Amino acid sequence: MSRQVLSAQPFLQRPAFTAFANFLRAHSAVTRSLNADLAQMHGLTINDYEVLLHLARSEERALRRVDLAERLVLTASGVTRLLEGLERAGYVAKRPCPSDARVTYAVLTDAGLEKLREASDTHIAGVREVFENHFSEEELETFASLLARLSDSGETDCSVPED
């Protein structure tokens, strides 16, 4: 075991590890800041916001709960807990699948869409503040391109649908 720890030591001094550590710290700091803004101004967490956004961008503003869990990188029980609060607030509703009783859909309500639209201004302003205060336009284009290499989602459109 000590041999494994010793062999990892040179890696800890390489730019890859420094980049990884800085990425994690930055992600945590940015998420904490954006989450605090959404919670203070709209009573939403950043995860709540992401649920509402995914549902708003889906056909019929609905997703199978299992698909939503996959998109959010959560377990089935994690997405259930997250949706319970949104359901109590009236932002999301459950809808059974007519062809399979085992399947349940999460559906964005009109109130949920309105809450998403209200919170979007705050969220977008926060994202702009964090990134535009630290990076030039050219740096942001490069940064976005570099980070895209780490993601397999290919999803870049984070806009809220108009209808």
Side-chain angles (χ1 to χ4, degrees):
M1 185 158 161
S2 62
R3 182 174 174 96
Q4 288 175 334
V5 171
L6 289 177
S7 66
Q9 199 61 28
F11 175 75
L12 298 177
Q13 298 166 351
R14 295 183 60 183
F17 187 77
T18 301
F20 177 69
N22 288 345
F23 169 77
L24 290 179
R25 280 189 214 100
H27 176 269
S28 179
V30 169
T31 301
R32 212 173 23 253
S33 173
L34 297 175
N35 195 58
D37 290 346
L38 285 170
Q40 180 183 10
M41 299 188 74
H42 304 283
L44 295 174
T45 67
I46 200 163
N47 288 338
D48 293 336
Y49 180 87
E50 192 172 359
V51 167
L52 300 179
L53 183 61
H54 279 290
L55 292 174
R57 297 183 65 234
S58 298
E59 188 174 325
E60 297 182 22
R61 298 188 328 204
L63 282 170
R64 292 184 319 161
R65 293 164 80 92
V66 66
D67 293 332
L68 186 57
E70 184 178 304
R71 289 183 187 192
L72 297 170
V73 193
L74 290 174
T75 63
S77 62
V79 83
T80 295
R81 282 190 301 276
L82 184 57
L83 288 172
E84 284 172 350
L86 293 170
E87 289 165 0
R88 278 192 305 275
Y91 303 142
V92 175
K94 286 182 188 177
R95 183 178 78 201
C97 177
S99 61
D100 188 343
R102 298 169 296 176
V103 176
T104 306
Y105 285 86
V107 182
L108 184 66
T109 64
D110 291 340
L113 183 58
E114 183 59 33
K115 180 57 105 172
L116 174 63
R117 287 184 176 143
E118 291 170 8
S120 288
D121 289 338
T122 299
H123 186 63
I124 291 167
V127 170
R128 289 187 71 184
E129 180 180 329
V130 166
F131 285 91
E132 292 177 354
N133 284 347
H134 292 89
F135 302 103
S136 69
E137 191 75 23
E138 184 179 318
E139 287 173 323
L140 287 171
E141 288 174 9
T142 300
F143 190 45
S145 175
L146 292 171
L147 288 176
R149 293 184 201 170
L150 298 177
S151 172
D152 60 355
S153 72
E155 189 173 312
T156 58
D157 181 14
C158 295
S159 61
V160 177
E162 291 298 319
D163 37 274

